[in-house]
Amino acid sequence: MRLKNGDNPEMHPEGRRNGAGRFANRLYDVLLLVLPSWLREEAGEEMRQIFRVQWRETQGVWRRSLLILLTVLDTARTAIWSWPHSYGSSPVPQRSKRLPLFKTQLEITMGDIRHAFRSLIKNPAFSLMALLVLSLGVGANATILTLVDRLFFTDPPHVEAPDQLVRVMRTSDSGSEGGLAYPDFRHYRDNNETFTELAAYDEGGFAVTIVPTSDGKPSTESGAAAGERVSAIGWFVTDNYFAALGTQPQVGRFFLAEENEVPGRQPVAVISDQLWTNSFERSRDVLGSAILLNGNRFDVIGVAPRGFRGISPLETPPDIWVPIVSQPTLAPLGANYALERVEGARWVWLRGVGRLNDGETIEHASANLEGLATYLQENFAEWSEGWGVALAPHAGFNPSDRAGLLSVTRLLFGAVALLLLIVGANIAILMLARGSQRARETGVRLALGASRWRVARQVLVENLLLAFGAGLLGVGIARVCANLAAAWMPMSFALDFAPGPRVVVAGLLLAAVVAFGASLAPALQGSRFDLNALIRNDSTGSSRPWMRGGLVVLQVALSMMLVVGAALFARSVATARAVDLGFETENRVMVSVSLRNHGYSPEDGKLLVSRALERLRALPEVDSVTTTMMVPFRGATMTNFSPIERAAGSRSNVQGTASDGAQQSGDGDDMLFSGYNQVGPDYFETMAMNIVLGRGISRTDDDGAPGVMVVNERLAETAWPGEDPIGKLVEFREDSAPLEVVGVAANATYYELGEEPTNQFWVAAQQNYSQRVRFMLESRGGLLSVGERARAVLLDLDANLAVPPPTLLDESFRTEIARYQTAARLVSLFGILALVLASVGLYGVLTYSVVQRTREIGIRVALGATGSRVASTIVGRGLRLTAIGAAVGLVGALVGTRFLVSFLYGVEPTDLVTFVSVPIALLGVASLACLMPARRAAEVDPVRAMRAD
Amino acid sequence: MSQSDPSAYLPLPPRTFAMLAVLAAGPTHGYSVMQQVNQTLGRTAFLGPGTLYRVLKELRDEGLIEESAAPDPAADQRRRYYRLTALGQVVAETEAERLGGLVHAVQAGLARSDGGAQ
C-alpha cells in the first residue's frame, strides 16, 4: 500500500530507536563501569532497563540532555557512596548504626566546592593557565566531535526514523553507481515487497526564477504589490517524497498522487520556509496564491517545515519542490526532450529513497529489488542490460562521500587525540608544581588528622571544578571553530555546526578525564607522604624529578609527531599548487546558465550566447571571454573518437612498434576513447592553454563555416602517429559532416590532479549546441564583481533566465586539492598548538626546577660558578629533554606517517626534508623556551638565596 | 539483623522515607518505586536508578525490606519485587508518626501566630 501525504502522522511509532538512543545506551553502559561490581551485578541489568524506558519516554533534545545530566549525577553520587561500602572490612569503623545514606553528604560536598573555589582563586596563575590549556585541548576535540556528531549522528530535521531509510541506486556491471531512470523507479515502486514507501527526487535540481503573484498574473510589471523576482533552486520529486521521509507540512499540504500523473494539468508547488518568509512574509494566504516558475504558473499548496533539507547534508536544500511531471511544463519548447527525461529509460537522473517496512532488513530488500532488476534486464534489455540495483544504508551520505569524510575525520581525530595527550601532560606538570607548592598545607592537614581520602577528595573536587569550567569553555570554542573547520573540509555542507548536547556531555567528560588523569601525577608522586618532610618543606625527598622530565619528553615527542604530519601536508599542498596544470586557474571567473528549462531552441540559444559574448567582451574590466561546457576537475564527458582518415600505414606502424607504449588499448579495435568539450571562441587564449600546432577555436567558426576541432598532443599522437594531424577529418556526430582538425593543444590536466595525460578534443560551441553554458571571463581583479556584472548582462538579455552566482575557476582547483588542504590547515593548526603547549611545558618545568634549586644554585654561585655556567646547565637540561623527546617523536612519526599516504601528494611519508628540518625547528623553539629560566638562574643572588628559608 | 530498635534509623531522609512509603502499599518492583517516588517528591529530589538500587540494597542489608515473589502471577517475572519487612513497617510507621507530630506542631504554631496577628 502506498500512503498519501499528510494522513499518517504516526507512521512509525517504533522507529524512534535512532542513533541518539544507541549512543545513550552506550553512554549508560560506560557510566555503569564507574559503579562497584557488587552493585552492577546486583542491579546493573535492571538499571539499564530503567534507563532505556526513561530514554524512550523522554522526548526532545533538551529534556533528554537533562535526563543524561541527572543520570550522570545519579551515577556519580551512587559511585561516591558505594565505593567505601564495598570495602567490607574497611579500616574506618562504622560510626553508628545509621545507614551511610543518612550522612549529610551534600553539606560536605558543598563545603568541598567552596573550598576548591577559594583555593583556585588564591592561585590565579595556576588556575588560568590550567583552564586555558585544558579548554584548548577540549575545544579542539569538541570541534572535531561536533563535525562528526552533525555529519554522522544527527538525524536530518523533520525526517521520521531515518534509520529505516535507504538509498536506491543503479549500478553498472563495472561497479559504478548512479541515479535511477524514471521507469526503473516506477517498476521498483510498484512491485517491491519491502518498502512502505519508495520515492525519488531529481539529483541535480534545477534553477528557476520565481515570481510570486497575487492573482496568477505576473505582478512584477504592476509595481507596488509586486513580488520580487528570485533566482532559486527547485527539485523535481515524486508525489510520495514527503510521505516517504515522514515529513509534515507546516502550512497546507504536500502532493497528491494525481498531481504527479498528467503533465501540466495541475501545476502545483511546495515552497520552503525561507521562500515563504522572504517572498510571502509568512502569510497563510500563500496557499491561495500562485507563483511563476520560469514564466509558468504554479499554485502553492504547502510550505515545508522550517529547516527541512531532505536527507543529505551535502545537498543544498531547494527553495521549491514540484512533481516530476512538471518537467515538460517548465520547458515547453523542449517538451519532447524533457518528456524523454521523465519517461526515458536511459536518462538516469533520480535519487531513490525508500522507507523499509517495519522489521525489514536491507539485505532482504536488496534481494527483492535485485530480483526486480533482473526482470527488467531480461524483459527490457534494450535499456536495462548491464544495469543492476544497489541499496545503501544510512540515508545521509552516499557511500563514497561517506568514506571520504570518514578518512578525513579519522585523521583529524588522531590529531586532536595527540593534542589532548599533550594537554594532559601539560596539566600534569602544572599540577605537580602546584602539588609541591601546597605540600606544606597538605602536610598540616594530614598532621591535624584529616583523612587521606578527605585530602584527596579536596584535590579531586578542585580538578573537577577546573574540568567543568574548561569543558564549558572548550564547547564554546567548538561553537566558534566547528563552522570554520567545516569550511575547510573537502566538501561543502549546508549545515550549521553547533555543538549538540552529546558534544557538551562528551566535552565535559573529556575535560574531567584529563583533569582526573593529570591529578594522578601528584598523587603518584606523593603516594608516600612523609609528614615530617612535608612540614619542614624539605621537598627534595618527596619529589621525583624524572616524572616532570618524562612529561616534557612525552609532550615534545607527541608534538614532534603532529608537526611532522603538518609539515608533510603543507609540503603536499605546496607541491600540488606548484604543478603545471597546462592552464591558468587564477583570475578566471565563471557564470553559468542553463537554458534547459527556459524554452530555448538551439538557434535561439546560440544567438543568446553570441550576443552575450559580444556584450561581455565590451566590458572594460574583461580581458578575455569564452564559453565552455566542462570545467576542469568537475567531471568528464567522454565519447568515441572516430578519425575518418586514420593512415593505414600508421596503424601497422603502431602495432609494429608495440613496445614503445601501450597506446592502443585494443586488439585491432579502431575505437579511440576521448574526453571532449564544447567551447566558445578564444577558449585557448582565455584559459592560457598552449596551442602547439595550427590554431584554436576562433570567432569565425560558426554555423556557416566548416566544422572544426582541436585535439591535444596525446590524442594526435595516438590517432595519427608520426603524421601531421592538421587537416585530418573526424566523424563527431552521425548526422553531421565530419569535423576538420585545425589545431593541436599541449597536453594539460583536465579531470584530476596527477592524472596521466589523457585524450582530449574540443569542438566549437557555435557549431554544436549545448543547453548548459558557462561563460569564462579573464580579468585582473575584483573577479566576483566582474562575475556579477556578467550576470547582470545575461539577465538583461533575458530576465527570465536563472543565473546562479559566479564562481571562481581557482575554487574548483582548490576543491581538487581540498583533501590535502583540509589536512594541511587543520593539522598545522593543531601542530602549532602542540608546539606552543610543549614549549610552555618545558618552560614551566625548567622555571620550576630553577625555583626549587635556588638554594643550590646560590651555593654554586657563592663557590665561584659564573652566571653563564649556571645558565648553561639549565639550557643543557632543557635541550637534553627536548632531544630525547624529539628522538622518541621521530620514531613515532616514522611509524605514524605511513597512515597518512592518502593525504599526501608528491611527498613521501618519510620525506627527508621534513624529518630533518622539523627536529631542528623544534630544538630552536625549545632553546627559546629555555632562555627565560636560564636567565633567572643566572641572576640568582647567592645571599638572598641562602636567606630565603 | 538483630537490630530492632526502629528509632535508631530515624530521622529518615525524605527519599528513603518515600521509598518505604511506596513499598508500604504492597510489593512492587524497582522501577515502579522510582517512578512513584519521583512523582511524590517531584523535581526537588530526583531519584535515579543508581541511587535507587544502592538504597534498596542497603535497606535490604539493614533488614527493612526484602525481596518477594511477584504479587500477581501475570506480572513481569523477570523483575525483582520488594516488600517491607516487619521492621521496615515499624520504621516507616514510626517515621510517619514523628513527621506527623512535627507537622501538627508546626501547624499549631502557625495557627497561634495567625490568631495573634488578628
Side-chain angles (χ1 to χ4, degrees):
Chain A
M1 186 192 84
R2 297 181 52 218
L3 294 163
K4 296 293 157 287
N5 294 297
D7 57 4
N8 55 339
E10 284 287 338
M11 196 159 55
H12 303 287
E14 288 301 308
R16 272 264 154 229
R17 226 171 299 118
N18 44 26
R22 277 202 305 272
F23 168 79
N25 278 334
R26 244 173 270 150
L27 175 70
Y28 196 68
D29 286 348
V30 172
L31 279 178
L32 280 181
L33 294 179
V34 176
L35 300 182
S37 55
W38 62 264
L39 186 56
R40 254 182 295 152
E41 278 156 25
E42 167 98 9
E45 192 40 48
E46 275 169 273
M47 285 158 71
R48 217 174 268 138
Q49 259 177 28
I50 288 184
F51 180 71
R52 269 200 288 270
V53 173
Q54 284 179 317
W55 182 262
R56 229 177 297 144
E57 286 171 355
T58 312
Q59 294 295 334
V61 173
W62 288 111
R63 280 166 180 278
R64 282 186 169 173
S65 315
L66 182 68
L67 176 67
I68 290 185
L69 186 68
L70 286 175
T71 310
V72 169
L73 284 177
D74 172 63
T75 318
R77 201 162 51 194
T78 313
I80 292 175
W81 277 112
S82 312
W83 280 112
H85 189 100
S86 60
Y87 303 121
S89 55
S90 144
V92 184
Q94 285 244 297
R95 262 173 241 155
S96 72
K97 195 50 235 163
R98 294 168 65 175
L99 301 176
L101 71 152
F102 298 169
K103 273 188 270 175
T104 48
Q105 181 64 25
L106 194 65
E107 282 164 43
I108 295 173
T109 315
M110 281 311 292
D112 282 342
I113 293 176
R114 269 195 299 272
H115 186 127
F117 249 124
R118 271 201 303 272
S119 97
L120 284 175
I121 288 169
K122 241 179 9 193
N123 278 289
F126 163 80
S127 310
L128 283 180
M129 195 68 205
L131 201 64
L132 181 74
V133 169
L134 188 51
S135 58
L136 280 178
V138 173
N141 278 273
T143 300
I144 304 304
L145 279 175
T146 303
L147 294 185
V148 172
D149 182 44
R150 287 285 147 191
L151 291 178
F152 299 113
F153 296 104
T154 303
D155 296 335
H158 305 292
V159 173
E160 274 290 314
D163 276 9
Q164 287 182 327
L165 293 176
V166 292
R167 267 173 197 284
V168 182
M169 295 165 295
R170 225 188 202 202
T171 55
S172 73
D173 286 345
S174 60
S176 63
E177 285 161 354
L180 294 174
Y182 192 60
D184 290 350
F185 162 73
R186 238 179 0 208
H187 180 69
Y188 296 142
R189 181 193 64 194
D190 297 341
N191 297 300
N192 81 79
E193 291 153 6
T194 47
F195 292 107
T196 43
E197 201 78 64
L198 182 60
Y201 60 101
D202 181 4
E203 59 182 352
F206 57 93
V208 281
T209 343
I210 300 171
V211 184
T213 69
S214 44
D215 51 1
K217 283 184 225 119
S219 52
T220 26
E221 330 300 343
S222 61
E228 247 178 72
R229 174 183 307 276
V230 186
S231 273
I233 298 292
W235 278 7
F236 295 112
V237 298
T238 55
D239 55 279
N240 61 346
Y241 171 71
F242 293 100
L245 301 193
T247 308
Q248 304 300 324
Q250 61 171 321
V251 172
R253 63 175 175 85
F254 289 144
F255 304 118
L256 304 175
E258 57 261 34
E259 284 162 347
N260 199 30
E261 273 161 15
V262 186
R265 194 170 66 188
Q266 290 162 299
V268 289
V270 169
I271 63 173
S272 71
D273 182 81
Q274 205 185 353
L275 186 64
W276 189 40
T277 308
N278 294 345
S279 298
F280 296 93
E281 287 154 352
R282 305 188 77 80
S283 155
R284 294 200 151 247
D285 296 340
V286 69
L287 293 182
S289 59
I291 51 179
L292 294 181
L293 298 186
N294 295 351
N296 302 288
R297 188 199 142 118
F298 279 69
D299 288 324
V300 176
I301 56 163
V303 179
R306 177 174 228 146
F308 172 74
R309 49 187 351 283
I311 51 170
S312 168
L314 291 179
E315 290 156 2
T316 312
D319 304 290
I320 193 153
W321 293 264
V322 296
I324 273 180
V325 290
S326 317
Q327 237 248 332
T329 316
L330 286 172
L333 286 182
N336 288 335
Y337 188 61
L339 255 183
E340 197 188 319
R341 216 165 134 92
V342 174
E343 296 297 326
R346 288 179 189 281
W347 206 299
V348 286
W349 62 302
L350 296 173
R351 295 193 170 178
V353 54
R355 180 177 294 283
L356 295 173
N357 288 329
D358 272 349
E360 187 63 74
T361 64
I362 192 164
E363 290 77 20
H364 183 233
S366 288
N368 181 238
L369 285 202
E370 273 160 24
L372 297 177
T374 313
Y375 173 85
L376 283 179
Q377 288 199 30
E378 281 164 2
N379 294 280
F380 301 95
E382 70 277 13
W383 53 269
S384 45
E385 180 139 41
W387 288 105
V389 67
L391 300 195
H394 199 286
F397 292 106
N398 69 42
S400 66
D401 288 344
R402 191 179 165 77
L405 272 176
L406 272 178
S407 73
V408 173
T409 40
R410 239 182 253 137
L411 171 79
L412 295 179
F413 252 127
V416 291
L418 284 184
L419 192 65
L420 198 64
L421 277 177
I422 295 174
V423 164
N426 214 300
I427 302 241
I429 290 177
L430 280 171
M431 290 196 174
L432 276 174
R434 178 111 200 276
S436 27
Q437 248 176 39
R438 63 195 293 184
R440 196 188 278 235
E441 177 202 331
T442 311
V444 170
R445 288 182 72 185
L446 287 175
L448 289 179
S451 72
R452 212 160 270 270
W453 161 240
R454 187 80 181 70
V455 173
R457 192 172 62 196
Q458 187 55 49
V459 175
L460 194 71
V461 169
E462 259 183 60
N463 292 348
L464 285 181
L465 215 57
L466 257 183
F468 189 73
L472 287 186
L473 267 177
V475 172
I477 291 175
R479 176 74 191 93
V480 179
C481 295
N483 276 321
L484 299 177
W488 279 351
M489 295 290 271
M491 295 165 196
S492 53
F493 314 97
L495 288 179
D496 179 32
F497 289 89
R502 280 181 291 219
V503 174
V504 176
V505 171
L508 290 175
L509 280 179
L510 273 182
V513 167
V514 172
F516 182 74
S519 68
L520 287 181
L524 280 176
Q525 174 154 308
S527 63
R528 262 183 243 129
F529 268 129
D530 175 357
L531 289 190
N532 292 327
L534 283 171
I535 292 173
R536 282 201 323 268
N537 193 22
D538 179 8
S539 39
T540 43
S542 65
S543 79
R544 298 178 187 176
W546 60 262
M547 185 177 268
R548 287 168 223 280
L551 287 170
V552 169
V553 167
L554 177 71
Q555 285 196 64
V556 171
L558 292 172
S559 43
M560 176 85 187
M561 289 167 70
L562 268 177
V563 175
V564 163
L568 287 176
F569 295 142
R571 275 174 60 79
S572 297
V573 173
T575 315
R577 270 266 164 211
V579 163
D580 181 13
L581 296 169
F583 60 92
E584 287 292 326
T585 61
E586 273 162 36
N587 299 331
R588 308 292 193 279
V589 62
M590 296 177 289
V591 178
S592 44
V593 67
S594 170
L595 304 175
R596 187 177 97 199
N597 292 325
H598 293 273
Y600 273 92
S601 67
E603 287 69 34
D604 292 346
K606 283 184 196 171
L607 198 64
L608 178 86
V609 171
S610 65
R611 272 203 202 130
L613 278 176
E614 236 164 78
R615 289 190 45 181
L616 292 174
R617 262 181 223 125
L619 292 179
E621 56 270 58
V622 172
D623 291 340
S624 177
V625 59
T626 186
T627 66
T628 176
M629 185 175 73
M630 307 300 298
V631 174
F633 310 117
R634 297 248 184 106
T637 310
M638 306 294 282
T639 188
N640 289 328
F641 183 79
S642 335
I644 289 172
E645 310 169 48
R646 191 132 166 236
S650 75
R651 246 174 68 70
S652 55
N653 271 351
V654 169
Q655 283 177 341
T657 59
S659 59
D660 74 349
Q663 291 161 332
Q664 294 287 22
S665 58
D667 23 76
D669 188 358
D670 263 354
M671 291 242 275
L672 269 176
F673 211 48
S674 172
Y676 85 99
N677 191 0
Q678 302 188 1
V679 299
D682 306 329
Y683 176 78
F684 296 92
E685 291 79 357
T686 310
M687 294 291 285
M689 281 184 169
N690 271 344
I691 295 286
V692 292
L693 211 61
R695 63 173 179 91
I697 307 283
S698 80
R699 291 178 207 180
T700 52
D701 293 320
D702 55 16
D703 260 342
V708 295
M709 73 159 49
V710 173
V711 298
N712 71 349
E713 289 171 299
R714 146 115 202 187
L715 184 56
E717 278 158 26
T718 315
W720 306 283
E723 285 181 62
D724 181 7
I726 303 294
K728 297 278 192 238
L729 293 179
V730 177
E731 186 180 290
F732 179 56
R733 290 226 166 87
E734 285 173 15
D735 53 357
S736 61
L739 307 184
E740 186 187 340
V741 175
V742 295
V744 177
N747 290 335
T749 302
Y750 311 106
Y751 308 115
E752 57 181 13
L753 206 59
E755 70 189 10
E756 293 293 305
T758 47
N759 294 335
Q760 178 79 8
F761 68 90
W762 297 264
V763 298
Q766 288 297 78
Q767 297 172 339
N768 301 275
Y769 179 59
S770 157
Q771 289 183 312
R772 179 151 193 81
V773 183
R774 282 196 182 87
F775 291 90
M776 175 84 66
L777 298 98
E778 182 191 354
S779 177
R780 273 151 307 194
L783 282 180
L784 285 177
S785 68
V786 172
E788 284 300 337
R789 290 202 55 183
R791 204 175 161 203
V793 165
L794 290 170
L795 285 174
D796 190 44
L797 286 169
D798 179 353
N800 278 321
L801 279 181
V803 190
T807 52
L808 303 179
L809 179 57
D810 201 37
E811 217 157 78
S812 69
F813 177 57
R814 278 204 294 263
T815 314
E816 176 66 14
I817 58 172
R819 160 186 195 76
Y820 311 111
Q821 208 133 34
T822 305
R825 283 170 167 171
L826 286 171
V827 177
S828 299
L829 195 68
F830 297 143
I832 289 171
L833 253 178
L835 208 54
V836 169
L837 287 179
S839 314
V840 168
L842 182 63
Y843 168 81
V845 165
L846 291 181
T847 307
Y848 176 77
S849 81
V850 170
V851 170
Q852 213 182 20
R853 291 164 58 191
T854 306
R855 193 196 293 217
E856 177 207 324
I857 295 173
I859 293 173
R860 283 188 186 206
V861 173
L863 291 179
T866 59
S868 61
R869 165 114 201 175
V870 171
S872 68
T873 345
I874 300 296
V875 174
R877 172 156 190 242
L879 289 186
R880 205 159 51 238
L881 288 177
T882 311
I884 298 172
V888 174
L890 271 184
V891 174
L894 272 175
V895 176
T897 49
R898 269 188 298 165
F899 302 103
L900 306 180
V901 176
S902 65
F903 295 97
L904 300 181
Y905 178 83
V907 177
E908 288 296 311
T910 52
D911 181 51
L912 191 66
V913 177
T914 306
F915 275 79
V916 169
S917 57
V918 171
I920 291 174
L922 208 68
L923 279 173
V925 173
S927 21
L928 281 182
C930 298
L931 276 186
M932 288 277 287
R935 259 187 65 181
R936 196 166 170 167
E939 283 164 6
V940 165
D941 176 355
V943 180
R944 230 189 287 162
M946 310 284 234
R947 227 188 267 148
D949 279 309
Chain B
M1 283 284 152
S2 60
Q3 173 68 271
S4 59
D5 176 13
S7 63
Y9 296 100
L10 306 187
L12 288 171
R15 260 199 299 257
T16 313
F17 181 51
M19 285 168 67
L20 291 181
V22 169
L23 289 171
T28 185
H29 54 79
Y31 183 45
S32 141
V33 172
M34 185 177 124
Q35 275 181 315
Q36 294 184 50
V37 168
N38 280 336
Q39 241 160 39
T40 321
L41 299 182
R43 278 280 166 82
T44 53
F46 172 81
L47 176 64
T51 311
L52 170 81
Y53 283 101
R54 181 178 58 77
V55 175
L56 280 178
K57 160 96 169 142
E58 283 165 1
L59 287 172
R60 222 174 39 177
D61 289 351
E62 294 292 333
L64 297 185
I65 63 169
E66 62 195 3
E67 280 195 36
S68 84
D72 170 5
D76 191 343
Q77 294 296 331
R78 283 171 310 173
R79 286 180 152 150
R80 257 182 295 175
Y81 289 78
Y82 302 90
R83 67 164 177 231
L84 291 190
T85 58
L87 175 64
Q89 191 90 31
V90 178
V91 169
E93 276 163 16
T94 318
E95 176 70 353
E97 263 166 41
R98 190 185 69 83
L99 285 176
L102 199 61
V103 170
H104 188 77
V106 171
Q107 278 173 340
L110 285 175
R112 262 203 307 281
S113 73
D114 275 0
Q118 275 162 6

